[in-house]
Amino acid sequence: SVFIPAGDDFAQGQLYYGVKMADVLRAFSLARATPGQPFYVTDEGGEKTYKGIVTNTGTIADLHLFAEEGGESVAQDEHGNVYLAAGQIRVYSPEGKAIEEIDVPERPIELVFGGPERRSLYILTHNSLYVVQTRWAGL
């Protein structure tokens, strides 16, 4: 199931520069959330990334600051490393320590793991699609 919050301003039709606007409309993607597993939320405008845990009811609990950097997208590998699209691809350890940077010719806006062994990190930009092979499979 999918839960998309919308405030009264959106539901009642108030306009922002002539169009309806809500935070969810500025989101770059939807992400799978698995009960009992960590879930990451990144905020490009606020320049922060948060980590929480998915409850059995599908809500996010224990949300706390993970990194003092935010971006457009976030992905995780099987070892708990977090890939953040923030100008370039910044890779963080499960503890929130920056461990690697993946340079991309254009600003990334979406990250998705795929391929036969899920070791291909697909990087979408406004104009192109790039792929990088990673050490570990993505979730």
Side-chain angles (χ1 to χ4, degrees), residues 41-50 65-72 84-86 92 107:
V41 178
T42 189
D43 179 358
E44 177 190 21
E47 297 182 356
K48 301 212 182 315
T49 299
Y50 300 91
L65 184 64
F66 175 74
E68 289 280 352
E69 182 170 31
E72 292 84 356
L84 178 63
Y92 288 86
R107 185 176 183 87

Side-chain angles (χ1 to χ4, degrees), residues 57-124:
T57 61
T59 60
I60 308 298
D62 191 29
L63 199 61
H64 60 276
L65 184 64
F66 175 74
E68 289 280 352
E69 182 170 31
E72 292 84 356
S73 181
V74 63
Q76 185 181 7
D77 69 25
E78 64 187 354
H79 285 269
N81 296 313
V82 176
Y83 298 72
L84 178 63
Q88 294 296 331
I89 310 300
R90 313 264 198 262
V91 184
Y92 288 86
S93 70
E95 297 76 34
K97 179 183 176 194
I99 57 174
E100 185 179 357
E101 183 172 303
I102 301 170
D103 292 325
V104 184
E106 300 174 64
R107 185 176 183 87
I109 58 172
E110 178 65 36
L111 303 175
V112 177
F113 277 101
E117 296 178 2
R118 298 194 54 79
R119 289 188 53 224
S120 298
L121 179 63
Y122 292 95
I123 305 163
L124 178 67

Side-chain angles (χ1 to χ4, degrees), residues 8-22 25:
D8 288 339
D9 59 335
F10 183 79
Q12 294 174 5
Q14 294 180 11
L15 300 179
Y16 179 77
Y17 290 100
V19 297
K20 284 190 171 186
M21 182 54 64
L25 297 178

